[in-house]
Amino acid sequence: MGRPEHDGIDPQVRIFERAHFYQPPRVKGNGPIVFAHPRASRALFLFALVACATSLSIGPAKAEPAPLASALPEIGRVVTSDRRSAPIGDSSRPTFVVDRSQIDAYGARTVAEALVGVPGVQLFAYGPFGALTNYGIRGAGSESTLVLVDGIAVTDPTTGTVQLGQLSTVGVDRIEIVESGSSTLYGTSAVGGVINVVTLVPRGAYLAASAGSFADRDLRASVGTGRVGLAYERHVATNAYAYPALTYSQSPCSSYATGPCAFPAGVRSNSNGDETTVRLNADVPLASNLRVRARIDDAVTQSGFPGGLDFLSTTATGSYATKSALVDLERTSARDTLTVSLGGSQTRSAYVDLPTNYGESDVYSGRTQLSIRDAFSSARTDAVIGVDLARESGSFSFPTSPDFVSTSPTAPPIPAFGIGATRSLSAAYVQLGATLRPGTHITAGLRAENDAPFGAVLAPSFGGVIRTGKVRIAGDIGESFRVPTLQDLYYPGGSNPNLRPEKSSNADATVAFDTPTASYSVGYFGRSGSNFIVYDSVAHMPVNARRAQTAGLVFTATSRALAGVIVEANYTDLYRALDLTSGARLPRNPVGQASISLRHPLAARDRVGFDLRYGIVGSGGDDAANRTGPASGTFDAYDSLDANLHVRVARDAVLTLRGANLGNTHAAPIFGYPLPGRRFAVELSTR
């Protein structure tokens, strides 16, 4: 369930606001006032039924079918679900995969863009490319969804989040999404699930260049031998786009505004994005049963920080510089695989607003992790056992600023200052599996983790898969947890060193019907927990003050259709996302989400391919159903129609025409942050 913020503001945005004001702004109520999109709300459930019916009604193709086990293409084996290589259909935890072909087909430049349309994944962007993005899985928020790159956590220890809207997909092979509490295998923050970005070593040469609306330009290149390779991306965009007038029913609409909650139409400024990423990969065999894998990343992102329409920030900018490295040493034998992984990352984020004399506020963070894992299997049993050791550090520095004053209005400004903190993690885990009979597999696991200074936490889990004919039944129950971030504990003037870890109990079950040409499933998920960390706007600090509960259903359907066109549809019904303390719905949890797509992948023998995707995101919980007063505007739920046409103009040249939000839907799913409307792009690539 994620951290139920009082206003749902992204933790990174919270850092910038605190840097700007020192004492965080007071916000009345439980969240921003936004209202449901009537057309999207009425159509949501009907849309999902029609989508699934459409998929069911199309007959199988004569062409050779692709293996299917979820609403997204199966790659055969995954490494994230059980922290070892295993068939995707054998995991008791719901797992989806976005592969390289889908990333290329939809032109997903960031991990956030690549996750659009994945069942159960929630995405709320503060703007176009370069902007911060809230994310979550099945009711869990950003701080309760663990993000990995090649199996190693990349979460910023100061905020507990990752900038998915700035994390490049260059050099990425696939993204595996596990939608279930996974603290047994991964520890803190894996409350809602895990997003694992799996990179690859390039083979051959690749080049792609594109240009589009709002001066969006992108250049990608990679070269490699399959053992050593380099990938590079340069992406820039001005993002100066028009937005319509926005009107909400609350007055005043925020702590910043004093008048009616209405904003005139305008053009978004100071919303530019600028990103450069270099990724070096190696995968070298040292012996017949020993190999070493290594990766070095260097990424720099700079973007405007325009603020909400109620508090425009026309000169502020945010920048992120991240360096990371990973070395895996893997030894294999007939029955087991022993892996030793050493990884580390360092990030500097800076908020700068020099023209208005706010100066620069910096946040430095670093993380080092050593993991030792042994996965073994026999004809009837399997197990994964391992140890994780990590150390995290963070520091906050602030300039002299007229906002940083003492209690006396006549006192001089507080001088520049900073604060630093560290913490460590040590954990041991085991998950045992047994095949009771062909098609029936059960697992039981336990993790013991010590997070200084909180002490030990235990996280057990139990799961199983039963196959009978074409029917597959899978389920998992367990406990998960999240420890407070360094920001929660040590941020000057807005922290609480007495916080306790959040704890949750989770359960999910899926029934799937698999055939050689199609897959259909229905799943249930539920989660309840206590000690959730929320920000107290009166005391100006985070507190353990909330109990929360989520529950929902997920429907998926995938079919290989006529002429090689793949039809995919899914619908997520988050019918319960409740703050048990206040009785209100948790913000940033859409009541319903649905997506349908028609894909004709561009195979080597094809001249033309296409992708068509239509999606609806329902109310985020801060709508009329949870607020009093009439609504004079609807800026929460929204829909989007995206299309891509791929034409092979030469053996190694593909021309792609892209259109996003072709219906020109204007929405501000996050209060005061309007999204761009219709946009186009042209791309030329070698694949």
Side-chain angles (χ1 to χ4, degrees):
M1 255 148 323
R3 171 176 177 178
E5 290 276 8
H6 75 291
D7 54 3
I9 292 178
D10 186 281
Q12 287 284 0
V13 177
R14 176 68 61 207
I15 276 190
F16 288 142
E17 288 191 346
R18 286 176 175 173
H20 212 141
F21 294 96
Y22 185 58
Q23 292 293 344
R26 300 192 178 196
V27 180
K28 298 180 180 180
N30 187 50
I33 293 187
V34 285
F35 295 88
H37 188 304
R39 178 162 56 93
S41 299
R42 290 194 300 266
L44 192 58
F45 186 66
L46 180 61
F47 165 81
L49 295 179
V50 172
C52 291
T54 301
S55 178
L56 286 165
S57 66
I58 298 179
K62 296 180 181 179
E64 181 181 354
L68 301 170
S70 68
L72 298 177
E74 180 184 339
I75 59 169
R77 303 179 74 84
V78 291
V79 298
T80 312
S81 304
D82 295 301
R83 210 164 174 177
R84 64 184 181 89
S85 178
I88 189 172
D90 287 356
S91 175
S92 62
R93 300 176 178 92
T95 303
F96 299 95
V97 177
V98 179
D99 62 22
R100 184 72 240 179
S101 66
Q102 286 179 288
I103 293 173
D104 288 340
Y106 288 107
R109 303 304 185 223
T110 67
V111 172
E113 292 176 354
L115 295 177
V116 171
V118 176
V121 174
Q122 303 152 202
L123 298 166
F124 284 86
Y126 283 82
F129 164 74
L132 304 177
T133 300
N134 278 139
Y135 56 90
I137 296 177
R138 295 183 173 186
S142 302
E143 293 171 280
S144 297
T145 300
L146 184 63
V147 180
L148 315 172
V149 175
D150 294 325
I152 297 295
V154 293
T155 300
D156 184 341
T158 60
T159 64
T161 65
V162 175
Q163 295 308 317
L164 288 189
Q166 301 173 356
L167 184 58
S168 175
T169 57
V170 68
V172 170
D173 179 47
R174 65 188 186 274
I175 304 170
E176 299 179 1
I177 306 101
V178 180
E179 301 191 352
S180 178
S182 302
S183 285
T184 296
L185 294 177
Y186 292 100
T188 180
S189 302
V191 176
V194 178
I195 298 170
N196 188 16
V197 180
V198 182
T199 66
L200 81 165
V201 179
R203 183 182 296 274
Y206 167 70
L207 182 65
S210 67
S213 303
F214 317 129
D216 189 299
R217 293 154 290 166
D218 186 83
L219 175 65
R220 294 188 159 208
S222 65
V223 62
T225 65
R227 291 190 175 183
V228 180
L230 178 70
Y232 168 85
E233 180 186 33
R234 176 84 171 116
H235 192 173
V236 297
T238 60
N239 293 328
Y241 57 91
Y243 59 88
L246 301 178
T247 303
Y248 300 87
S249 64
Q250 182 183 11
S251 180
C253 59
S254 74
S255 60
Y256 306 129
T258 58
C261 195
F263 309 107
V267 175
R268 200 70 161 135
S269 62
N270 193 34
S271 188
N272 57 290
D274 186 320
E275 172 257 332
T276 302
T277 297
V278 179
R279 176 166 285 151
L280 176 65
N281 281 68
D283 188 345
V284 181
L286 303 179
S288 60
N289 67 338
L290 186 66
R291 67 188 312 110
V292 60
R293 290 188 292 264
R295 172 180 52 80
I296 299 175
D297 292 351
D298 192 347
V300 177
T301 303
Q302 295 180 322
S303 59
F305 197 76
L309 296 181
D310 56 334
F311 188 75
L312 293 175
S313 184
T314 58
T315 57
T317 60
S319 63
Y320 304 85
T322 300
K323 303 179 187 296
S324 65
L326 170 67
V327 177
D328 275 347
L329 187 64
E330 181 180 277
R331 181 188 63 81
T332 59
S333 64
R335 291 190 175 183
D336 80 302
T337 300
L338 175 65
T339 306
V340 179
S341 301
L342 178 62
S345 62
Q346 185 181 63
T347 300
R348 174 198 170 188
S349 58
Y351 175 86
V352 183
D353 199 359
L354 295 176
T356 54
N357 201 32
Y358 289 120
E360 178 176 336
S361 302
D362 296 325
V363 179
Y364 295 89
S365 65
R367 191 178 198 277
T368 303
Q369 178 172 329
L370 172 65
S371 294
I372 303 173
R373 181 178 72 259
D374 193 11
F376 58 91
S377 62
S378 65
R380 301 295 297 271
T381 61
D382 57 82
V384 58
I385 183 170
V387 174
D388 292 329
L389 304 173
R391 184 172 178 82
E392 299 176 333
S393 61
S395 65
F396 308 88
S397 63
F398 305 94
T400 300
S401 168
D403 285 314
F404 296 173
V405 298
S406 66
T407 55
S408 172
T410 60
I414 298 175
F417 68 97
I419 188 171
T422 62
R423 71 179 182 193
S424 60
L425 173 156
S426 58
Y429 63 89
V430 60
Q431 179 173 282
L432 306 176
T435 301
L436 303 182
R437 64 178 182 83
T440 300
H441 185 262
I442 61 172
T443 60
L446 179 67
R447 183 184 187 91
E449 179 168 314
N450 183 75
D451 291 275
F454 303 106
V457 180
L458 296 177
S461 66
F462 304 90
V465 178
I466 300 174
R467 288 180 178 271
T468 172
K470 298 178 180 179
V471 177
R472 175 171 49 91
I473 303 173
D476 192 85
I477 59 174
E479 294 185 0
S480 52
F481 62 93
R482 183 182 80 81
V483 300
T485 65
L486 295 179
Q487 174 185 332
D488 293 329
L489 296 171
Y490 304 113
Y491 195 93
S495 59
N496 182 355
N498 298 316
L499 291 173
R500 301 183 303 278
E502 299 177 355
K503 294 184 178 181
S504 299
S505 299
N506 52 272
D508 55 79
T510 302
V511 179
F513 181 74
D514 301 322
T515 73
T517 59
S519 178
Y520 314 101
S521 72
V522 57
Y524 163 83
F525 61 90
R527 188 176 300 110
S528 62
S530 60
N531 286 341
F532 283 100
I533 301 169
V534 299
Y535 193 81
D536 188 326
S537 59
V538 176
H540 296 295
M541 67 179 185
V543 296
N544 291 106
R546 187 166 290 173
R547 295 181 301 117
Q549 187 177 81
T550 62
L553 300 171
V554 177
F555 304 88
T556 70
T558 304
S559 176
R560 185 81 173 194
L562 296 173
V565 177
I566 302 171
V567 180
E568 300 172 335
N570 65 77
Y571 171 59
T572 302
D573 180 8
L574 185 60
Y575 61 81
R576 186 176 181 84
L578 189 63
D579 177 350
L580 298 178
T581 304
S582 66
R585 185 175 176 88
L586 299 174
R588 304 285 172 81
N589 284 282
V591 176
Q593 295 187 113
S595 176
I596 183 171
S597 66
L598 283 76
R599 300 177 51 237
H600 188 303
L602 185 65
R605 64 183 181 275
D606 293 335
R607 293 295 303 273
V608 177
F610 65 86
D611 310 279
L612 186 67
R613 179 174 62 195
Y614 177 67
I616 297 176
V617 178
S619 162
D622 298 315
D623 58 5
N626 299 287
R627 297 288 177 179
T628 59
S632 54
T634 57
F635 309 104
D636 188 8
Y638 63 96
D639 58 352
S640 181
L641 175 64
D642 305 328
N644 303 279
L645 177 64
H646 315 281
V647 181
R648 189 177 301 281
V649 295
R651 187 183 68 174
D652 295 320
V654 176
L655 178 67
T656 299
L657 306 178
R658 303 190 186 278
N661 191 10
L662 295 178
N664 201 31
T665 299
H666 287 278
I670 297 178
F671 172 77
Y673 288 85
L675 296 180
R678 184 186 298 114
R679 49 203 185 278
F680 300 95
V682 178
E683 177 183 281
L684 185 63
S685 67
T686 58
R687 67 169 182 240

